[in-house]
Each structure stands twice: as C-alpha cells, then as structure tokens.
Amino acid sequence: MRKNLFSGPEPDPAGDAGHRDPPPRVGFFTDTSVCIGCKACEVACKEWNAIPEDGLALTGMSYDNTGGLGASTWRHVAFVEQPAPDRGAGPPHADAHPGAGRETGRAAAPADETALTGTAAGAGAAGTPDDGSGTTRWLMSSDVCKHCTHAACLDVCPTGSLFRTEFGTVVVQEDVCNGCGYCVPACPYGVIEQRPQDGRAFKCTLCYDRLGAGQEPACAKACPTESIQFGPLDELRERAALRVERLHEAGVPEARLYGHDPDNGVGGDGAFFLLLDDPEVYGLPPDPVVTTRDLPAMWRHAGAAALSLAGGLALSFALCAPARRKGRR
C-alpha cells in the first residue's frame, strides 16, 4: 500500500485507502449548459436518502429555495440571472444534448441553440420573460459534494466517521460521528455541515448503497436532460473535454471545466462541472486548495522548534552545572 498523501497527484485514492483491487473510480460530470433548473435531482436525493425538509420559503434570490449545500441539502440547484453575452448571429443550429449519438437507455432531450447558450429564449421556460431580445439568461447548476481526491474532511476526522469507499468516494457514517465539527472548516468548498438538532455532520454519499447494488445515484437517474452524468471518472473527463470542444465550435467560448484537473489544489474532484461563466458566479471557489496540504510542513516546523527548545534547555543545564559545582566548593 502506498503512503498516504495530503496533496499532489494520487491516481488511486481507493487503493491508497487500503481497498484491494478496487473497481474504477466513479463520479459525477455536471454539464450546466443543459441544466433546466427542474430540481428533480434535489427531490430524488431527498426521497432516496430520507433527508429531512430544510425550508420551503423562497430566499428572495431568484427561484432558489434552499440557498446552498448543507446537512439537509445534499444537492442544490443554483439559479443565476445575468445579461446574456452578445454573440451576433451565431451558428444556425447546434446539437446541445451531451448524450446525442450514444446509447443511454433514455430518450434524448430536445436540443436547440438556446439550450446550448443559455440565452433568454431558453431561459424563458424557467420563468424569465422571453421577448426575443436575447438580453437575459439563466445560469443553472446542480451543486454537490466534490468527493475530492485529497479530502480534508476525511483527514481531520478524529473518529473515522468519514471514510474512503472502494469507489473512491467519501462517505460520512452518521452513527460514528461525534459532532466535533472539525470537518466543517476543513472543507474548501463549504459542503459539509452539522445538523443543529444533534450536531452530527452530513453530506452527499454519492448514493453509496445504490453503487453497491450496481445502480447509479438517484440524482443522475432522475435528471431529465442528462445534465448530471455518472460513470467512471476517466471516461467522464474524456466526455467532458469533447463537450467543451463542441461548445467552443458552436460559438460558446466561455465554456470551461471546473474541478476536473488531477493537478489542481485538491488532486482533482470526483464531481466536476462544465461552467458557462467564472466559478464565483456559481458560488464556487476559483482556486480551491485542500486545507490539510501544509500539515506535513507544519509538523516538521513544530518538531524542529521542539528539538531546538530541548537542545537549548540541555545546553543551559550543561553550562550551569560547572558553576553550581564550583559554588558548592
């Protein structure tokens, strides 16, 4: 078994956690360019995992009634209203659906230019008045725990409540959690949270029970446009790169991937995204770094300081001993 690392490239996190011959690492690829904000993923997540109700009042910010991820919101659909980019005439037509041309077992969703670019006509279905001017667009994205390659929440957990599964995902065992809360500030994404009723921490498990039965997570199963795609992580990364290339060719230069790079600050996310704007627009940190990255260096510095202190004390005793013996004579 390889040495556990707090940062840097890690090709096999499940194997590093001690799983022998683990299956391929799995995860989510969320293509926000085809998200319609239906919240089917939120509902499916709550129903399957028996997550309690967390507030049905509108926040006053768009159609968002949950506000963000938390102990009782493991999937959160963000709604961002902004002026649409001026693309001029643009291409006459582009197939926006990521599943086009491959067998998925489900009917392909209708695809048109508005679904691909997120302009006002496409956004009108989500509640924005569509006057045909193309001056407003909705950016929608279903956020979730990133299941980081280097998961600080797992690294700081004193009870072993958080563990790495054979699928490379990170899961909280609620019956082992003691409510210490160390994991909450450790997460660079602000995902994990404690429930106020008992102080225990909760977050997405990537439907670990369903994975063990050979099923896909409930949110991906419920997504009508395949905005949430589940599968082997390496395959998803290849599919995402092709999707971005197609969007660029279709006249959407702002399309970019977020969290896919194994060389990023968390070693690559197990749940990554295709975004149509800067990460901050979606409430995501622009350059996340695992908060335990510097622990080895900190311990080295602390050890060096302790040795220096011990050496200084020993030297002081050594220098004072002759003077004390001389004084006694």
Side-chain angles (χ1 to χ4, degrees):
M1 187 174 68
R2 293 183 300 279
K3 179 182 178 182
N4 287 298
L5 301 173
F6 286 109
S7 63
E10 174 52 79
D12 185 14
D16 188 60
H19 295 284
R20 295 184 178 180
D21 300 321
R25 185 182 180 186
V26 297
F28 289 126
F29 163 47
T30 301
D31 183 353
T32 68
S33 69
V34 292
C35 178
I36 58 175
C38 66
K39 292 181 176 283
C41 55
E42 286 192 16
V43 175
C45 178
K46 279 188 174 290
E47 287 185 343
W48 179 261
N49 295 290
I51 303 174
E53 179 267 325
D54 56 345
L56 300 176
L58 292 176
T59 62
M61 300 175 61
S62 179
Y63 292 93
D64 188 351
N65 68 310
T66 48
L69 295 173
S72 298
T73 303
W74 298 359
R75 269 280 179 187
H76 167 244
V77 178
F79 287 76
V80 180
E81 185 179 8
Q82 63 176 202
D86 183 8
R87 307 188 190 280
H93 178 77
D95 183 4
H97 198 260
R102 61 182 177 91
E103 294 296 326
T104 62
R106 285 185 285 177
D112 58 20
E113 176 65 11
T114 56
L116 182 147
T117 61
T119 53
T128 299
D130 177 15
D131 59 2
S133 63
T135 58
T136 304
R137 71 171 178 176
W138 282 106
L139 295 179
M140 302 172 187
S141 174
S142 180
D143 197 9
V144 71
C145 171
K146 313 309 180 291
H147 294 275
C148 309
T149 299
H150 295 290
C153 59
L154 187 156
D155 293 336
V156 303
C157 180
T159 65
S161 171
L162 284 123
F163 72 99
R164 179 83 60 180
T165 74
E166 66 271 28
F167 301 103
T169 60
V170 179
V171 173
V172 184
Q173 301 173 94
E174 59 185 73
D175 57 333
V176 181
C177 179
N178 68 355
C180 69
Y182 292 167
C183 55
V184 176
C187 176
Y189 295 101
V191 167
I192 196 166
E193 186 184 51
Q194 296 171 272
R195 284 185 185 160
Q197 292 82 1
D198 58 13
R200 291 180 299 167
F202 293 86
K203 71 171 192 68
C204 163
T205 67
L206 218 149
C207 286
Y208 184 42
D209 52 347
R210 293 175 64 93
L211 298 188
Q215 302 178 24
E216 65 179 324
C219 57
K221 184 73 173 179
C223 182
T225 64
E226 293 185 10
S227 172
I228 302 171
Q229 301 178 45
F230 167 79
L233 199 55
D234 290 337
E235 178 185 326
L236 292 177
R237 286 170 175 164
E238 293 179 2
R239 190 185 304 168
L242 292 174
R243 174 63 176 159
V244 170
E245 183 179 342
R246 289 186 58 201
L247 286 172
H248 288 173
E249 292 174 351
V252 190
E254 62 269 26
R256 84 284 306 269
L257 295 179
Y258 176 85
H260 69 295
D261 188 359
D263 293 325
N264 67 12
V266 297
D269 292 327
F272 64 99
F273 303 79
L274 186 156
L275 304 179
L276 296 178
D277 209 322
D278 294 330
E280 302 93 314
V281 173
Y282 296 86
L284 298 168
D287 189 20
V289 175
V290 59
T291 50
T292 53
R293 178 191 61 180
D294 298 323
L295 276 180
M298 292 167 62
W299 282 113
R300 285 196 298 269
H301 293 320
L307 288 175
S308 298
L309 179 60
L313 290 173
L315 180 62
S316 67
F317 279 112
L319 293 176
C320 292
R324 287 198 299 271
R325 287 195 296 267
K326 183 177 180 181
R328 283 196 295 270
R329 288 199 295 265

